[in-house]
Structures are given as structure tokens and as C-alpha cells.
Amino acid sequence: MSKFLLCALVFCCLTNRSCSVVQLKSVYTSFPDSPARFTGGLNGSAICGDLRLADPIDACSPLLNEVEYSESGSERIALIVRGGCAFEEKVRHAQDSGFRAAIVYDDEHNQDLISMMGSSEGIWIHAVFVSNAVGEILKEQAVAKGGECCIASFLDETAWTVLVISFISVLAVITLLVMVFFSFNHRWNHIQQPGPIVMEGEEVDVIPCIMYYSANLTGHVGETCAICLEDYKDRENLKLLPCNHVFHATCVNSWLTKWATFCPVCKHDARVGIVSSE
């Protein structure tokens, strides 16, 4: 099966509930088609018969073709060109002339197969739409004697339903696996990452405290806490780290017990130089 045929079949199956192919027996070749929306379905079977060129070829008026019935029960399939009138009218004229099926080919060189629309009332024969290139090939076979072809079902409605359910199920499983993977990976990275090294409350308690007085500022005591960026107020408790930097007692206690063991200004390790009370 050619790449074009495979791609066309996939497109057909994604855009139609059923999908079929036109098989030309004389050259053992299959062509993709788009089944009409208003005609009878194949229901997993096939229609085979002699291919005949409609007269007139656009089938916009009653056909002049004389469809003879053979004892072998061979069917007749009409080949019709697009344009001039509605698809429904073409198919009705083919049915009224005794044809078992109709193949309508595009009158322009388009790559896309369209879905023929119309009223289904009173129509029981099958009809499909093929491209202009396929139509020209079928036209040559229809003119010659013995141009036999088949319209075969590629996927019936049940198979299509199974295919859709299977595709959705596989997609759901893949989505679930991706979500589980990323969730596990996130948790694993969180577990692997060590928490910050902090000081115990007992270690922080031994850091010397001083009381702030704006009238008695010394060289190592500033006017603003570098952690909360608030100015000191008289009689506030401050803590003096071994590096001689001063902060609000509550601010530096939280910093050393939750975030780090070093001074937020100079990065000196606050554990170095602290004398234990024990």
C-alpha cells in the first residue's frame, strides 16, 4: 500500500464514521474514497460490478444508460463527474437507471476528499467520492470492456467504534503515566534536596543580647536592622553576632533557626565564636 493511500485512509477514518476503498480489479490497485453521508452503507461488505460511464457524465438529468441484468448477478456501478447539480440528484438518477452504486469523481485537481451531503429519503444505493486523478483512471477502465471494480468497506461502524475507544484508552493511559512520572520525579527531587543547615534554639539563646539606646550608639551598632529593614527603637532587644553585626533579636533568631547559620550581612558563620552556656 502506497504512502498516499495509507495517509488518505487515515484521514478518511478520522473524518468519517466509516471508510472504504475503490478496488480496480484489472490493475489490482486500490484507491481511497469518501462515502456519501446520505446513501446506504456497506456494513462491512463490498459491492462489485462492471464500471460504466454515466450518460450524461455529470448525471444531472435522467441517464441514457441501459443497464442490462445478467444471470450471473453482476452489478453495475456508475462513474459520474462532479459539478452541474447536487450530489443527491446525481445519485438518484443513477439509482433510477438501475445502477447498484455510484462513484463521483472531482472535476478539479484537489487533494482533499469531501463528504457528499444530501437527503437520504428514497436512496438505497451506495455512493462514494474520489479525487480527480482516481476518476481519470477509472474513466479509462469504464470506457474499455471488462472494467470491473469493487467498493469495499475499510472499517465498519463497529470497528470504528472499537478503534476510537482503543485510541482514547491508550491516550488516557499515556497521560496517566506521564502525570505519575512527573509527580514521582518532583517528590524524589524534593526528598533528595537537603534542607538548609540551621542552628538549634539552644545555640541561638547563648548569643549575647544588648538593649538599644539611640543616645549611646557605638561603632558596631547601626540604626536599621538589615533583616527586616526597620529602624531600631529605644529599649529594643538586639543580638550581637560574633562578627559584631547587630540585628533585632526576633529577626536574627528566626533567621538562624529557619534559614541559615551565617550572618546575613557578611556571611560569617554565627556558630564560630559563640561561647556555650554549658
Side-chain angles (χ1 to χ4, degrees), residues 155-170:
L155 279 179
D156 58 20
E157 185 172 341
T158 302
W160 169 246
T161 303
V162 172
L163 180 62
V164 171
I165 294 176
S166 300
F167 176 78
I168 295 176
S169 299
V170 171

Side-chain angles (χ1 to χ4, degrees), residues 8-68:
L9 287 174
V10 172
F11 174 79
C12 172
C13 293
L14 289 177
T15 55
N16 296 279
R17 294 184 64 189
S18 60
C19 188
S20 61
V21 292
V22 174
Q23 298 174 337
L24 197 56
K25 289 190 175 182
S26 60
V27 291
Y28 300 100
T29 305
S30 297
F31 306 102
D33 64 56
S34 177
R37 298 279 182 160
F38 60 92
T39 61
L42 293 175
N43 297 323
S45 61
I47 300 175
C48 295
D50 294 333
L51 187 62
R52 293 289 181 263
L53 201 61
D55 182 17
I57 192 170
D58 62 3
C60 289
S61 59
L63 302 187
L64 302 178
N65 300 75
E66 294 183 1
V67 179
E68 65 280 0

Side-chain angles (χ1 to χ4, degrees), residues 129-192:
F129 184 85
V130 298
S131 66
N132 178 268
V134 173
E136 292 298 331
I137 296 175
L138 296 177
K139 186 177 178 181
E140 294 179 2
Q141 297 298 318
V143 172
K145 273 192 173 183
E148 186 177 359
C149 76
C150 292
I151 303 175
S153 176
F154 181 70
L155 279 179
D156 58 20
E157 185 172 341
T158 302
W160 169 246
T161 303
V162 172
L163 180 62
V164 171
I165 294 176
S166 300
F167 176 78
I168 295 176
S169 299
V170 171
L171 187 62
V173 170
I174 293 176
T175 303
L176 179 61
L177 290 176
V178 170
M179 293 176 61
V180 170
F181 171 77
F182 280 106
S183 176
F184 177 79
N185 187 60
H186 175 74
R187 291 185 180 183
W188 176 257
N189 290 337
H190 182 73
I191 294 174
Q192 291 295 100

Side-chain angles (χ1 to χ4, degrees), residues 178-269:
V178 170
M179 293 176 61
V180 170
F181 171 77
F182 280 106
S183 176
F184 177 79
N185 187 60
H186 175 74
R187 291 185 180 183
W188 176 257
N189 290 337
H190 182 73
I191 294 174
Q192 291 295 100
Q193 293 177 352
I197 300 175
V198 296
M199 296 176 64
E200 298 294 335
E202 294 80 3
E203 295 178 295
V204 176
D205 290 341
V206 300
I207 297 176
C209 293
I210 60 175
M211 187 168 290
Y212 177 80
Y213 290 100
S214 56
N216 298 323
L217 290 180
T218 59
H220 60 269
V221 179
E223 298 180 356
T224 304
C225 175
I227 298 177
C228 67
L229 303 181
E230 294 287 340
D231 290 339
Y232 299 129
K233 298 178 182 179
D234 284 340
R235 303 185 66 84
E236 277 189 322
N237 287 323
L238 310 181
K239 280 202 171 183
L240 177 64
L241 298 185
C243 57
N244 288 330
H245 287 118
V246 178
F247 309 92
H248 282 130
T250 55
C251 293
V252 78
N253 286 350
S254 178
W255 172 269
L256 295 176
T257 56
K258 295 179 180 179
W259 301 105
T261 62
F262 51 80
C263 171
V265 174
C266 66
K267 309 304 180 185
H268 177 79
D269 194 339

